[in-house]
Amino acid sequence: MQIGGAAFSGPIDCLARTVRSEGIRGLYKGMASPLAGCAAVNSLLFWAYSYGKFAQTGSLDVTPTLGQIAIAGAGAGVVNSILASPVELIKVRLQVQNSTSIAASATLFRGPVHLATHLAQQFGMRGIMWGFWATVAREVPAYAAFYTGFEFTKRRFAQALAGGDSSKLGAVPLMCSGSVGGICYWTACYPLDVIKSRVQNAAAPPRGLGYIASAAKDIMKEQGVKGFFRGYTPSVVRSIPAAGVTFATYELVMRALNDAK
């Protein structure tokens, strides 16, 4: 929906037309790239976030303020872009390569390795890091909001259910807190995500930093403000279970590791 412009009237239309033209497999195009990179991306992200908190407080035992949480999240977003940018690039280009609503490449790629090899051969490192700064521009506000939304909600649950001790919270309130973080993530960055997707599906890698503003102007000219929010609802709906499970798993695993020391 982000790249197809006005080709789809909404999420249901997009779903129906994709299944009709490409079958159920069409709903899973580009899945291999984020699936393969998920562990590395999330490991780097949460490490950078933890380090960002420690760098500000000087101790893992000190509870950071929400402002410090936001700064740590923003910093983690910058670091995370190193891996997230190529993973997102491959996912975006594989997802739309059969679309008739955009100018697609004449080459149909069999999977992420085939596409990555083609980009490296044609454009070198620029082809692999295509849209890196657009990814950074998205990740900084996204993860500042992601972690702040989670921590704010978790602390409210802790006050209401556990006497202020978040280490006593169970899986359900942690999942609910994570879901809030996921909603905050997409709300904070969605227009930037649309810009990133457009940049990464262009005919050639951009140069300099002005391409972000240029892509934004093109979207505004072609689709108006609504163009920056195409696909927002499916992204938020998807993030509710995904971020909920991610945060609950992280918190419970870290709790178990600390108890085992």
Side-chain angles (χ1 to χ4, degrees):
M1 288 186 68
Q2 289 180 339
I3 297 174
F8 304 110
S9 60
I12 302 301
D13 180 48
C14 179
L15 173 66
R17 291 172 62 178
T18 299
V19 172
R20 187 163 56 245
S21 63
E22 302 177 45
I24 296 297
R25 291 182 61 186
L27 301 177
Y28 294 91
K29 288 187 302 180
M31 185 183 72
S33 175
L35 190 63
C38 181
V41 167
N42 281 309
S43 296
L44 179 63
L45 175 67
F46 277 90
W47 171 82
Y49 170 63
S50 297
Y51 183 82
K53 290 190 295 182
F54 176 78
Q56 294 178 87
T57 63
S59 172
L60 295 176
D61 298 324
V62 176
T63 300
T65 65
L66 291 179
Q68 290 172 326
I69 291 289
I71 292 171
V78 174
V79 175
N80 187 58
S81 298
I82 297 170
L83 292 182
S85 182
V87 168
E88 288 277 315
L89 168 68
I90 293 170
K91 180 191 73 172
V92 165
R93 296 188 73 85
L94 286 176
Q95 284 178 336
V96 302
Q97 68 172 344
N98 290 321
S99 175
T100 58
S101 63
I102 60 169
S105 168
T107 303
L108 290 180
F109 301 101
R110 296 185 300 272
V113 175
H114 185 204
L115 174 55
T117 301
H118 172 81
L119 293 175
Q121 290 174 344
Q122 187 172 7
F123 300 109
M125 184 55 67
R126 287 178 60 231
I128 299 299
M129 301 306 291
W130 186 330
F132 172 75
W133 292 111
T135 304
V136 172
R138 182 195 73 169
E139 300 286 72
V140 168
Y143 283 112
F146 187 58
Y147 287 109
T148 304
F150 168 72
E151 279 293 331
F152 175 83
T153 310
K154 183 181 75 170
R155 293 177 189 186
R156 292 298 177 270
F157 272 123
Q159 291 173 358
L161 304 176
D165 186 357
S166 63
S167 67
K168 295 180 180 179
L169 290 175
V172 172
L174 289 174
M175 289 183 68
C176 291
S177 301
S179 296
V180 172
I183 294 170
C184 291
Y185 175 100
W186 284 113
T187 302
C189 79
Y190 198 78
L192 292 164
D193 186 64
V194 174
I195 292 170
K196 180 199 68 66
S197 295
R198 187 182 182 101
V199 167
Q200 290 186 322
N201 201 60
R207 293 183 181 276
L209 295 176
Y211 69 84
I212 298 175
S214 178
K217 290 178 182 177
D218 290 342
I219 294 169
M220 176 63 76
K221 181 178 179 180
E222 295 168 12
Q223 305 171 41
V225 175
K226 291 176 63 176
F228 291 100
F229 294 93
R230 286 190 174 276
Y232 171 77
T233 299
S235 295
V236 169
V237 171
R238 179 194 68 184
S239 76
I240 291 173
V245 170
T246 297
F247 269 115
T249 301
Y250 172 76
E251 289 283 322
L252 294 175
V253 169
M254 291 301 295
R255 191 181 301 174
L257 291 174
N258 288 331
D259 290 343
K261 287 182 179 179

